[in-house]
Amino acid sequence: MEQDLTSLAAAVAELQASVSAINGTFAETFYYLTIPLMVLIHVGFLAYEMGASRSKNALASGIKNILAFAMIVPFFYFVGWWIYWAFPTGLTLSEGAMGISGIAYANSIALPWSEYMGPNLDDRSSGVFWGAFVLFAATTASIMSGGVIERIKLTGFVVLAIILGAFVWILAGAWGWHADGWLVTQFGYHDFGAAGVVHMIAGFFTLGVLINLGPRIGKFNADGSANHIAGHSMPMTLIGLMLIIAGFWGFLMGCVIVPGEAWSWSGTIEGTIYGTPMTISGMTFNTLMGFAGGIIGAWMVTRDPFWMMSGALGGIISCAAGLDLWYPPMAFMIGFIGASAMPFVATFIEKRGIDDAVGAFAVHGFLGMWGLLAVGIAAQGYPALFGEDVITTSFTGQLVGAVVMALLGFVPGYVVSFVLKVTGQLRVPEEAEILGLDAVKVPANAYPEGLHASVSPAE
Amino acid sequence: MEQDLTSLAAAVAELQASVSAINGTFAETFYYLTIPLMVLIHVGFLAYEMGASRSKNALASGIKNILAFAMIVPFFYFVGWWIYWAFPTGLTLSEGAMGISGIAYANSIALPWSEYMGPNLDDRSSGVFWGAFVLFAATTASIMSGGVIERIKLTGFVVLAIILGAFVWILAGAWGWHADGWLVTQFGYHDFGAAGVVHMIAGFFTLGVLINLGPRIGKFNADGSANHIAGHSMPMTLIGLMLIIAGFWGFLMGCVIVPGEAWSWSGTIEGTIYGTPMTISGMTFNTLMGFAGGIIGAWMVTRDPFWMMSGALGGIISCAAGLDLWYPPMAFMIGFIGASAMPFVATFIEKRGIDDAVGAFAVHGFLGMWGLLAVGIAAQGYPALFGEDVITTSFTGQLVGAVVMALLGFVPGYVVSFVLKVTGQLRVPEEAEILGLDAVKVPANAYPEGLHASVSPAE
Amino acid sequence: MEQDLTSLAAAVAELQASVSAINGTFAETFYYLTIPLMVLIHVGFLAYEMGASRSKNALASGIKNILAFAMIVPFFYFVGWWIYWAFPTGLTLSEGAMGISGIAYANSIALPWSEYMGPNLDDRSSGVFWGAFVLFAATTASIMSGGVIERIKLTGFVVLAIILGAFVWILAGAWGWHADGWLVTQFGYHDFGAAGVVHMIAGFFTLGVLINLGPRIGKFNADGSANHIAGHSMPMTLIGLMLIIAGFWGFLMGCVIVPGEAWSWSGTIEGTIYGTPMTISGMTFNTLMGFAGGIIGAWMVTRDPFWMMSGALGGIISCAAGLDLWYPPMAFMIGFIGASAMPFVATFIEKRGIDDAVGAFAVHGFLGMWGLLAVGIAAQGYPALFGEDVITTSFTGQLVGAVVMALLGFVPGYVVSFVLKVTGQLRVPEEAEILGLDAVKVPANAYPEGLHASVSPAE
């Protein structure tokens, strides 16, 4: 029997190793898969923005987008990741209660010469987490990208994209999307799906840039009334937007902490990034319901396919902060309300002389804010952190968070674009804008032959 | 030693919790991933249908598709899911042998106020299963969508899409794609990959609608001969179809029950939705072989890239009912035969004055039926249910299933579209059709500038 | 206590079964998911090549691509898979040290009548591995496909695609991408991400074909200077290339052996196909950094969006052989250097009268070689095989590998295309090329209506 016990103990030890291995491989794969899905977001943004540009600017819009994605990667490697771990408690660089923040912690795990910043057989999570965050960063920059098309200078844009993607959003993430983040620990800020830290930040940053960038030539008439400047291919734009929806599911996976790892909050259930328990299953209900509500709301208000697909995004964004919490019909309503209001917000800022080419502020800035406040209105009193006797969600907390996100997005966007403007790096020359950016800047042609009818259509 | 035993027992208990957690998280992730993949089906349908429309109708086709997807979500939440669990035994609402059907069961798990219909920390499966089914529903509606483009009224279409996606297909699913379904328990009906419950239902429903909807103006000449009305962008259509192929793999994942959960059929091996054992690995062989056979068959008959890509879908659909069973070269042949016949079926119905703009009936209705019958011909005698001494697959069972699916698809499609026709909600006015639906109905323009040559091509 | 022990033993046995099941289902799902992701590569190639063709040839390019994919499937089923297992030790068909190669082994697992070549409840890996390899094969053929557009005959192309995808690349795989492969066991050849066995093979094969195929009419002037023949839709091409990036993540998953299965190298950590330990996490760092370096390098040299996106691919390919090994900033530099050189290589071969329509040789052939040599230069001395006291990576080994891959790609490409040329099956008639392949060969039209302005643009 002694022997039985020994062999049983060996079997148990072997099982423990095996379970640990499968947990690790599963978690690694889970976050890895967020990346190709989020690359689909970028395929989508590429199609969307090229389609939303007039053909004379289509390639310039694409180049901008591709280059921003590329630039963010090394900046996020060298700086962004470190910021996320260093700044949660504010600007003091001190360690927070969970012990996963502050300068010492950041130095140990996120400096480029840290053992965790490259292949390491003893670390099967840093690379995939970092990768998911890089894609979040690139997504944040792409949100701005659409609003500023057809007149921004490539240099200026790339600087803005790097600042937004590798500095601003990740500071917002440290503050509001981290268990030691001061917005969370002090205000119970709850932002499961990054409505504030990604969407508001990107939307308000864009607003700040647009003020300095100014409208496209021809956007406004002498009397201040606005013209609609349509892109050259609405089908390309719609296909792009639907691809973003496909990729959105990867983005949301990246907001979940899976159980069973040493770094997991729980051994048995998924958590939010704050450690509060949630399920992927529940999030699925709400994502689909918010998506549907957003499309239907935008359709009822506009009948316009561009706004319908923007409403699909907008519906999910409206629900994003509380995707772990909503009752699904509530998610439908929150998406519906948000997306119904969205076109009016777009018109409102247009009336103020701001030319947001794709409604980036209305979709991301405004609806991200609506998402945060909706949690404050309808999901108060949930624990905001892992553990017992913790701070809970509240309207105040969400409001404080929304104000911080608005400012943290707007101010750097405004200031940096102002500096770029003053130094002549923000906007292309008038002649280039009129001639088209592709003709002036791009050694290639979007449609070299144009397209001419080869047979007459049946009708 | 007593102590050793106690500590070992503790280790085992911990392992049990850990294994249960990883099983649960894996299963949840597995079904979750079906959703972004099936969203790719919708990206594909969007591109495919806009490309297959003349440019004057491209956006109207897109709007139709987007809105149908959105509308199906809440209807499936409030009604569709309940139907699936309530009706397996027929229209009696009684409980079946497996104990997972009937009105009491449906009321307990699928009414909107059920604890299983929203975020619930004790339920990590309902949302992801529901989500996968919603995407199946939306796919079913999208199949119809292609056939009716360029003349259907949006209102009428949305009604038809909701009826098809949230009522008809899910009733078919209850009857033939559920372990308590009467077609399964009484006839041994086998339809692993939804050849009948999705493809036949959608194809025959579309046929019923097309009869009442009538052909596009200009489709048929006075002497009854048909004109080919080509869409405005074949490349867009082909790209869309290949995206549907990418998404198809997600659809097929949604047909598999993974092992290891309380709700799984087996602790060790995947099952079909009926509980019969199968492997994802075997299904992979057959999906690729059917795909290849379909393309090659369609190519040999037509040389037309539209039919080749439709044959790619058609080859998989031909094999779908028995994807768990075929010997791979057999799957190739079944796909090849089906896709070779497909263009003739399209011509056949065209000769009868029916204008199916994308061959939806030939690809989905006819090949879904071929897939069901192929199981009856070449895969008789397999157990149709979990357990021992169960009913087996047979030609009769498949034939009965095919007849039921044909009727369950056709009759509602015909009746509802007839009612819509009589009430003037089915078809746009003649002027709108001639002018183009986009000009009349859509506050946006597919290609506002058109595209003109900016340099002369090299040749 | 005896009883406790018995019940504990039962619990352990149950756990063992459960862990084995979850390991199996996870591994099966892991490889399964590579397939839809790699289908995205094919969506991408389809868009890319059609966009890179003049509109008169767009559909012919698409057909070629679709048909090659389809043809490779059955050939890989009947022949390719067998080659992979039969030939690792060279042409002797002998068994290698690991015991997973040679004619007896290949006959037992890879002949079409083997129990492993179809659905089998006791085999949950063959189908998904085979499927992933089929997609690798199709990718290899698609790489060639782009270079030869606008003048190759469909018959000739399909023959070449089958030879490349179902014979040549898989022989290269047997030699250099298999733990019994002679390049590995004798030279320590290391090619984690298939830089040699996929990219060099495809690139050099294409080069061989291009020599016999000759340039497109109008490509070169009488004085030997080259004209740029632009495709008809650069946006379509760019979207396609970004889709290939999304799919690339699936390709890389297919290069990883997950732990925990009977066939795994380790019970606890992922391995390369050679069994050397690695992590998905480390690979993620390097993939993103190589991607970024590639775009930035190509941008600095060309400013051309086509080369930027080719540089995105090229950056990953440059790092592919050592994706498991690089320090991430090193991966950035390797991608940057490779992609900066790439346009010069394209110009170099163009100067020699070779018309590679999309730079397939520069991107895949040249950068695959650079990737292999980079491992030889900067990652010498790593174990090249599983176990202790094994052969290590070296410059010589990588160089030998590169030479073998160059020859194994080039020679069959040159010889087979020469035979096709002599027999008149390689190139379309001059009239067809001038008129456009679509008009002559395809019973469909890419853009039947052309696209004409319906409103005047705002500017």
Side-chain angles (χ1 to χ4, degrees):
Chain A
M1 202 174 125
E2 182 69 39
Q3 205 180 353
D4 289 358
L5 193 59
T6 309
S7 78
L8 206 57
V12 168
E14 202 180 304
L15 271 170
Q16 283 167 327
S18 179
V19 168
S20 166
I22 179 73
N23 266 333
T25 314
F26 171 77
E28 207 176 357
T29 304
F30 184 91
Y31 296 108
Y32 179 84
L33 286 171
T34 66
I35 300 175
L37 287 170
M38 285 197 270
V39 174
L40 288 180
I41 292 181
H42 288 275
V43 183
F45 270 118
L46 190 62
Y48 164 44
E49 281 189 38
M50 291 194 296
S53 301
R54 285 163 292 179
S55 64
K56 66 178 181 178
N57 300 318
L59 296 184
S61 292
I63 284 179
K64 192 168 61 48
N65 218 332
I66 295 164
L67 191 60
F69 186 176
M71 287 288 187
I72 280 168
V73 178
F75 277 90
F76 204 85
Y77 182 85
F78 287 108
V79 188
W81 195 228
W82 185 87
I83 291 175
Y84 182 63
W85 297 105
F87 284 98
T89 57
L91 300 172
T92 63
L93 295 170
S94 61
E95 188 176 81
M98 296 287 181
I100 50 171
S101 55
I103 190 164
Y105 189 77
N107 286 350
S108 74
I109 68 157
L111 284 175
W113 45 86
S114 159
E115 62 189 305
Y116 300 107
M117 291 302 281
N120 174 347
L121 298 182
D122 294 326
D123 170 19
R124 294 168 64 190
S125 50
S126 295
V128 287
F129 281 134
W130 174 83
F133 270 71
V134 167
L135 271 288
F136 282 16
T139 300
T140 307
S142 287
I143 291 168
M144 168 186 54
S145 183
V148 300
I149 51 173
E150 301 199 305
R151 78 279 206 194
I152 202 163
K153 217 173 194 168
L154 184 61
T155 339
F157 173 75
V158 168
V159 170
L160 289 163
I162 291 168
I163 299 224
L164 173 55
F167 293 83
V168 177
W169 108 260
I170 194 64
L171 185 61
W175 290 358
W177 212 54
H178 188 295
D180 275 340
W182 65 270
L183 280 171
V184 185
T185 56
Q186 293 176 38
F187 292 92
Y189 175 77
H190 186 83
D191 188 11
F192 166 74
V197 302
V198 164
H199 296 285
M200 271 193 78
I201 288 288
F204 279 85
F205 190 98
T206 305
L207 187 65
V209 173
L210 288 171
I211 291 171
N212 287 310
L213 180 62
R216 287 168 290 180
I217 296 169
K219 175 67 193 177
F220 292 104
N221 301 318
D223 63 356
S225 62
N227 299 307
H228 178 61
I229 301 183
H232 81 286
S233 176
M234 183 64 89
M236 195 182 286
T237 295
L238 299 181
I239 293 166
L241 283 160
M242 193 63 104
L243 272 169
I244 295 175
I245 296 290
F248 220 131
W249 297 85
F251 185 101
L252 295 175
M253 281 173 78
C255 302
V256 173
I257 306 293
V258 296
E261 284 292 275
W263 43 258
S264 302
W265 295 102
S266 156
T268 52
I269 199 159
E270 299 99 314
T272 66
I273 204 146
Y274 314 116
T276 55
M278 52 85 59
T279 68
I280 293 171
S281 184
M283 168 177 107
T284 300
F285 275 120
N286 289 331
T287 306
L288 280 170
M289 290 293 261
F291 160 84
I295 291 176
I296 295 170
W299 173 69
M300 289 184 67
V301 172
T302 69
R303 314 275 154 170
D304 183 329
F306 173 78
W307 285 115
M308 288 169 73
M309 280 310 307
S310 296
L313 292 181
I316 301 176
I317 295 167
S318 298
C319 299
L323 271 179
D324 53 330
L325 302 175
W326 303 122
Y327 171 58
M330 185 78 182
F332 182 90
M333 284 314 300
I334 292 171
F336 180 90
I337 293 168
S340 304
M342 165 187 75
F344 297 103
V345 173
T347 305
F348 177 85
I349 71 159
E350 190 177 87
K351 287 240 165 85
R352 260 121 219 97
I354 292 169
D355 177 14
D356 182 350
V358 297
F361 176 76
V363 178
H364 298 275
F366 168 69
L367 291 183
M369 187 170 68
W370 162 233
L372 287 185
L373 297 182
V375 167
I377 295 165
Q380 297 172 30
Y382 281 90
L385 279 167
F386 182 72
E388 295 183 8
D389 298 322
V390 293
I391 192 165
T392 56
T393 54
S394 66
F395 184 77
T396 314
Q398 296 303 103
L399 183 64
V400 169
V403 170
V404 169
M405 293 302 154
L407 291 172
L408 184 55
F410 183 82
V411 175
Y414 184 84
V415 170
V416 177
S417 63
F418 183 78
V419 173
L420 289 167
K421 183 183 183 181
V422 169
T423 55
Q425 295 303 314
L426 188 60
R427 188 158 177 154
V428 298
E430 193 174 323
E431 316 81 72
E433 191 178 337
I434 291 169
L435 207 56
L437 275 56
D438 287 12
V440 179
K441 298 278 191 180
V442 182
N445 197 307
Y447 302 99
E449 347 172 5
L451 294 168
H452 33 82
S454 41
V455 302
S456 58
E459 179 53 38
Chain B
M1 205 171 120
E2 181 71 37
Q3 203 178 354
D4 290 358
L5 193 59
T6 309
S7 78
L8 206 58
V12 168
E14 203 180 303
L15 271 170
Q16 284 168 326
S18 179
V19 168
S20 166
I22 179 73
N23 266 333
T25 315
F26 171 77
E28 205 175 357
T29 304
F30 184 91
Y31 296 107
Y32 179 84
L33 287 171
T34 65
I35 299 175
L37 288 170
M38 286 198 270
V39 174
L40 288 179
I41 292 182
H42 288 275
V43 184
F45 271 117
L46 190 62
Y48 165 44
E49 281 189 39
M50 290 194 296
S53 301
R54 285 163 293 180
S55 63
K56 66 178 181 178
N57 300 318
L59 296 184
S61 292
I63 284 179
K64 192 168 61 48
N65 218 330
I66 296 164
L67 191 61
F69 187 176
M71 287 289 187
I72 280 169
V73 178
F75 276 90
F76 204 85
Y77 182 85
F78 287 108
V79 188
W81 195 228
W82 185 87
I83 291 175
Y84 182 63
W85 297 105
F87 284 97
T89 57
L91 300 173
T92 63
L93 296 170
S94 60
E95 187 176 80
M98 296 286 180
I100 50 170
S101 54
I103 191 163
Y105 190 77
N107 285 350
S108 74
I109 66 158
L111 284 174
W113 45 87
S114 159
E115 64 189 302
Y116 299 106
M117 291 303 280
N120 174 345
L121 297 182
D122 295 326
D123 170 18
R124 294 168 62 192
S125 51
S126 295
V128 287
F129 281 133
W130 174 83
F133 271 70
V134 167
L135 270 289
F136 281 16
T139 301
T140 307
S142 288
I143 292 169
M144 169 186 56
S145 182
V148 299
I149 50 173
E150 303 200 302
R151 77 280 205 195
I152 202 164
K153 216 173 194 169
L154 185 61
T155 342
F157 173 75
V158 169
V159 170
L160 289 163
I162 291 169
I163 299 227
L164 173 55
F167 293 84
V168 176
W169 109 260
I170 195 63
L171 184 61
W175 290 359
W177 212 55
H178 188 296
D180 275 340
W182 65 270
L183 280 171
V184 185
T185 55
Q186 292 176 38
F187 292 92
Y189 176 76
H190 186 84
D191 187 11
F192 166 75
V197 302
V198 164
H199 296 286
M200 272 193 77
I201 287 288
F204 279 84
F205 189 98
T206 306
L207 188 65
V209 172
L210 288 170
I211 291 172
N212 287 310
L213 180 63
R216 287 167 290 179
I217 296 169
K219 176 67 193 176
F220 292 103
N221 301 316
D223 65 355
S225 62
N227 300 306
H228 177 61
I229 301 182
H232 81 286
S233 176
M234 183 64 88
M236 193 182 287
T237 295
L238 298 181
I239 293 166
L241 283 160
M242 193 63 103
L243 273 169
I244 296 175
I245 296 291
F248 220 131
W249 297 85
F251 184 101
L252 294 175
M253 281 172 80
C255 302
V256 173
I257 305 294
V258 296
E261 284 293 275
W263 43 258
S264 303
W265 295 101
S266 156
T268 54
I269 199 158
E270 298 99 315
T272 65
I273 205 145
Y274 315 116
T276 55
M278 52 84 61
T279 68
I280 292 172
S281 185
M283 167 177 108
T284 300
F285 274 120
N286 289 331
T287 306
L288 280 169
M289 291 293 260
F291 160 83
I295 291 176
I296 296 170
W299 172 68
M300 290 184 67
V301 172
T302 69
R303 314 274 155 172
D304 183 329
F306 173 78
W307 284 116
M308 287 169 73
M309 281 309 309
S310 297
L313 292 182
I316 302 176
I317 295 166
S318 298
C319 299
L323 271 179
D324 54 330
L325 302 175
W326 303 121
Y327 171 59
M330 185 79 182
F332 182 90
M333 285 312 301
I334 292 171
F336 180 90
I337 293 168
S340 304
M342 165 187 75
F344 297 103
V345 173
T347 306
F348 178 85
I349 70 159
E350 190 176 87
K351 287 240 166 84
R352 261 122 217 95
I354 292 169
D355 176 14
D356 182 349
V358 296
F361 176 75
V363 177
H364 299 274
F366 168 69
L367 290 182
M369 186 169 68
W370 163 232
L372 288 185
L373 297 181
V375 167
I377 295 165
Q380 298 172 29
Y382 281 90
L385 279 166
F386 182 72
E388 295 183 9
D389 298 321
V390 293
I391 193 165
T392 57
T393 55
S394 66
F395 183 77
T396 314
Q398 296 303 102
L399 183 63
V400 169
V403 170
V404 169
M405 294 302 154
L407 292 173
L408 183 56
F410 183 82
V411 174
Y414 184 84
V415 170
V416 177
S417 62
F418 183 78
V419 172
L420 289 166
K421 184 183 182 181
V422 168
T423 55
Q425 295 303 315
L426 189 60
R427 188 157 178 155
V428 298
E430 194 173 321
E431 316 81 72
E433 190 178 339
I434 290 170
L435 206 56
L437 275 56
D438 287 11
V440 179
K441 298 279 191 177
V442 182
N445 198 307
Y447 302 99
E449 346 172 4
L451 294 168
H452 34 82
S454 41
V455 302
S456 58
E459 179 52 38
Chain C
M1 202 173 123
E2 182 69 40
Q3 204 179 353
D4 290 357
L5 193 58
T6 309
S7 78
L8 206 57
V12 167
E14 202 181 303
L15 271 170
Q16 285 169 325
S18 178
V19 168
S20 167
I22 179 73
N23 266 333
T25 315
F26 171 76
E28 205 176 358
T29 303
F30 184 91
Y31 296 107
Y32 179 84
L33 286 171
T34 67
I35 300 175
L37 287 170
M38 286 197 270
V39 174
L40 289 179
I41 292 182
H42 288 275
V43 183
F45 271 118
L46 190 61
Y48 165 43
E49 282 190 38
M50 290 194 297
S53 300
R54 285 163 292 179
S55 64
K56 67 178 181 178
N57 300 317
L59 297 184
S61 292
I63 285 179
K64 193 169 60 47
N65 217 332
I66 296 164
L67 191 61
F69 187 177
M71 287 289 187
I72 280 168
V73 178
F75 276 90
F76 204 85
Y77 182 85
F78 288 108
V79 188
W81 195 229
W82 185 88
I83 291 175
Y84 182 64
W85 297 105
F87 284 98
T89 57
L91 299 172
T92 62
L93 295 171
S94 61
E95 187 177 81
M98 296 288 180
I100 50 172
S101 54
I103 190 165
Y105 189 77
N107 285 351
S108 74
I109 67 157
L111 284 175
W113 46 87
S114 159
E115 62 189 303
Y116 300 106
M117 291 302 281
N120 173 347
L121 297 183
D122 294 326
D123 170 19
R124 294 169 61 190
S125 50
S126 296
V128 286
F129 280 133
W130 174 84
F133 270 70
V134 167
L135 271 289
F136 282 16
T139 301
T140 307
S142 288
I143 292 168
M144 169 187 55
S145 182
V148 299
I149 50 174
E150 303 201 302
R151 76 281 206 195
I152 202 164
K153 216 172 193 169
L154 184 62
T155 342
F157 173 75
V158 168
V159 169
L160 288 163
I162 291 168
I163 299 224
L164 173 54
F167 294 83
V168 177
W169 108 260
I170 195 63
L171 185 61
W175 289 359
W177 213 54
H178 188 295
D180 275 340
W182 65 270
L183 280 170
V184 184
T185 55
Q186 292 176 38
F187 293 91
Y189 176 77
H190 185 83
D191 188 10
F192 166 75
V197 303
V198 165
H199 296 286
M200 273 193 77
I201 288 288
F204 279 85
F205 190 98
T206 305
L207 188 64
V209 173
L210 288 170
I211 292 172
N212 287 310
L213 180 62
R216 287 168 288 180
I217 295 170
K219 174 69 192 176
F220 293 103
N221 301 317
D223 65 357
S225 62
N227 300 307
H228 177 61
I229 301 183
H232 81 286
S233 176
M234 183 64 88
M236 194 183 286
T237 295
L238 299 181
I239 293 166
L241 282 160
M242 194 62 103
L243 273 169
I244 295 175
I245 296 292
F248 219 131
W249 296 85
F251 184 101
L252 295 175
M253 282 173 79
C255 301
V256 173
I257 305 292
V258 296
E261 284 292 276
W263 43 259
S264 302
W265 294 100
S266 156
T268 54
I269 199 159
E270 297 98 314
T272 65
I273 204 145
Y274 314 116
T276 55
M278 53 84 60
T279 68
I280 293 171
S281 184
M283 169 178 107
T284 300
F285 274 120
N286 290 331
T287 305
L288 280 169
M289 290 294 260
F291 161 83
I295 291 176
I296 296 170
W299 173 67
M300 290 184 66
V301 172
T302 68
R303 314 274 154 170
D304 183 329
F306 173 78
W307 285 115
M308 288 169 71
M309 280 310 308
S310 295
L313 292 181
I316 302 176
I317 295 167
S318 298
C319 299
L323 271 180
D324 53 330
L325 301 174
W326 303 121
Y327 170 58
M330 186 77 182
F332 181 89
M333 285 312 300
I334 293 171
F336 179 89
I337 294 168
S340 304
M342 165 188 74
F344 297 103
V345 173
T347 305
F348 178 85
I349 71 158
E350 190 176 86
K351 287 242 165 83
R352 260 122 218 97
I354 291 169
D355 176 14
D356 182 349
V358 297
F361 176 76
V363 178
H364 299 274
F366 168 69
L367 291 182
M369 186 170 67
W370 163 233
L372 288 185
L373 297 181
V375 167
I377 295 166
Q380 297 172 32
Y382 282 90
L385 279 166
F386 181 73
E388 296 183 7
D389 298 322
V390 293
I391 193 165
T392 58
T393 55
S394 67
F395 184 77
T396 314
Q398 297 303 103
L399 184 63
V400 169
V403 171
V404 170
M405 293 303 155
L407 291 173
L408 184 55
F410 183 82
V411 175
Y414 184 84
V415 171
V416 177
S417 62
F418 183 79
V419 172
L420 288 166
K421 184 184 183 179
V422 168
T423 54
Q425 295 302 315
L426 189 60
R427 188 157 177 155
V428 298
E430 194 175 319
E431 315 82 72
E433 191 178 339
I434 291 170
L435 207 56
L437 275 57
D438 287 12
V440 179
K441 297 281 191 177
V442 182
N445 198 308
Y447 302 100
E449 349 171 2
L451 294 168
H452 33 81
S454 41
V455 303
S456 57
E459 179 53 37

